[in-house]
Amino acid sequence: MKSLAELQAIRDKMQGQVGLRAESEAGTRVIVGMATCGIASGASPVLNALSEAVMTKNLKDISVVQTGCIGLCQYEPIVEVLEPGKEKVTYIKMNPEKAMEVVEKHLIGGTPIYDYTLQKAMK
Amino acid sequence: MMTEISLNVLDITENSVKAKATLIKITVEADTAKDRLTVTIDDNGCGMTPEQLSKVTDPFFTTRTTRKVGLGVPFFKQSAEMTGGTFDIRSEVGVGTVISASYVLSSIDRMPLGDMVSTMHQLIVMHQQCDFLYSYSYNDRRFTLDTREFRETLGDVPFDVPEVSRFIKDFLKENTEEVNAGQMII
């Protein structure tokens, strides 16, 4: 069973690693829409899959965060990828499988998946 | 309509976060003798005026400007009432809001509880400005998670560091399994 002693050990290991926070904010931000519209269309398993992937693949400079409703409810679940110095990529109608593809091809591989973007749907 | 009770909890708790709550108490209690599953979300956020409170179960009321409907509270209310259960919301400006939904456990119309572990993990890691007190019980077995204890142990190490995030998820998972003891609420 997990105990607070284990948490203490994590803390001891982490101490001295200054700038944990500052580093993550300078990196890539993956933003998941988590208002009623997002949650009702399945955003929670998407957010879960993304944060699991970041944890297990140990992706250092990527932070997964959430936002509210951006007024595109019909396209939820929406995932936005913001890389420093690059244009924002908006993925629509996501699910955990598509999210994993985005992790592999876009976040790790560096190439956005055009087929899943809002840009393609608007065309 | 949400497909799981845990998704309603996730959605409703976002309101507490937006209301700038610093402590959010979430309680999930299953009682097979009373045939009830009760979910309570109690926050110390900004609260609502009596006028806002009277409109909050109206699907065409929202404080948002991005869309004209507000379905979070109506969904939660409907999910409990359709099982023959009850729904209650109390709020006071400057004090906070308490929302309670009570489901008839054995009702065929009760949606599954869903993944409370992921819901709590997401809430805790994504909203580090808030403290959470989560209590989960099945009949007389209970476990409690208090992020204030985590914070005290961790000092300035944040919850979204992968190792800490993993600890929180495993802590939730192991304790939930212990409480369920093979009799998990579906």
Side-chain angles (χ1 to χ4, degrees):
Chain A
M1 187 65 71
K2 295 273 165 216
S3 69
L4 288 177
E6 205 169 319
L7 205 54
Q8 179 72 49
I10 296 172
R11 186 209 165 152
D12 295 342
K13 202 182 117 199
M14 288 293 148
Q15 262 179 348
Q17 293 187 27
V18 236
L20 278 170
R21 192 59 352 161
E23 239 171 23
S24 75
E25 274 169 15
T28 297
R29 284 157 58 84
V30 181
I31 307 169
V32 185
M34 291 290 289
T36 307
C37 44
I39 295 171
S41 3
S44 182
V46 170
L47 176 63
N48 211 17
L50 287 166
S51 52
E52 271 295 323
V54 169
M55 271 193 275
T56 51
K57 291 177 194 289
N58 213 7
L59 306 177
K60 285 287 181 213
D61 48 356
I62 296 173
S63 56
V64 181
V65 296
Q66 62 176 63
T67 187
C69 169
I70 57 168
L72 297 167
C73 310
Q74 69 274 35
Y75 293 120
E76 296 282 355
I78 295 173
V79 174
E80 295 174 312
V81 177
L82 276 155
E83 290 173 286
K86 289 188 188 168
E87 209 165 312
K88 177 177 79 181
V89 179
T90 305
Y91 291 110
I92 59 168
K93 298 189 177 174
M94 295 302 278
N95 59 37
E97 293 73 34
K98 286 180 177 176
M100 283 308 92
E101 257 188 85
V102 168
V103 169
E104 290 301 332
K105 294 182 181 158
H106 186 170
L107 300 181
I108 299 172
T111 315
I113 308 169
Y114 177 70
D115 280 353
Y116 300 160
T117 60
L118 177 65
Q119 201 189 356
K120 181 175 180 189
M122 296 297 229
K123 221 174 161 186
Chain B
M1 183 74 151
M2 300 295 177
T3 50
E4 294 172 354
I5 294 169
S6 67
L7 296 179
N8 283 285
V9 175
L10 186 60
D11 188 29
I12 296 302
T13 308
E14 292 297 334
N15 297 341
S16 302
V17 174
K18 249 164 253 132
K20 299 193 162 56
T22 54
L23 179 62
I24 304 171
K25 300 174 194 163
I26 298 172
T27 309
V28 176
E29 288 174 306
D31 186 325
T32 51
K34 288 188 188 149
D35 196 24
R36 284 281 167 158
L37 175 63
T38 308
V39 177
T40 307
I41 299 145
D42 179 338
D43 74 50
N44 65 351
C46 63
M48 285 177 277
T49 62
E51 204 209 346
Q52 285 173 318
L53 188 59
S54 68
K55 287 185 191 160
V56 80
T57 54
D58 174 357
F60 296 101
F61 173 75
T62 179
T63 55
R64 282 183 194 278
T65 52
T66 53
R67 54 169 145 78
K68 291 177 179 166
V69 292
L71 300 174
V73 174
F75 276 165
F76 197 27
K77 183 173 190 275
Q78 184 194 31
S79 71
E81 289 180 344
M82 68 193 277
T83 69
T86 56
F87 179 84
D88 184 53
I89 178 163
R90 287 153 209 251
S91 190
E92 203 179 317
V93 173
V95 178
T97 302
V98 183
I99 300 187
S100 183
S102 181
Y103 300 81
V104 173
L105 197 54
S106 63
S107 168
I108 189 97
D109 293 318
R110 180 180 61 82
M111 55 178 74
L113 177 61
D115 190 353
M116 273 309 298
V117 168
S118 293
T119 289
M120 286 313 305
H121 177 252
Q122 279 174 24
L123 286 170
I124 293 167
V125 174
M126 295 286 155
H127 304 295
Q128 299 192 55
Q129 70 277 28
C130 302
D131 274 308
F132 289 90
L133 182 63
Y134 173 56
S135 170
Y136 175 78
S137 71
Y138 187 95
N139 293 335
D140 54 355
R141 298 189 298 270
R142 170 183 298 270
F143 103 87
T144 304
L145 177 159
D146 190 339
T147 57
R148 289 169 297 187
E149 288 176 3
F150 287 178
R151 232 177 269 280
E152 209 174 298
T153 310
L154 282 169
D156 55 1
V157 177
F159 292 161
D160 58 353
V161 169
E163 288 87 342
V164 178
S165 177
R166 170 67 62 204
F167 171 88
I168 295 170
K169 191 150 200 184
D170 290 346
F171 183 90
L172 282 160
K173 202 170 159 221
E174 287 177 13
N175 281 287
T176 301
E177 279 165 8
E178 175 125 335
V179 167
N180 287 336
Q183 292 172 296
M184 154 180 193
I185 320 155
I186 298 162

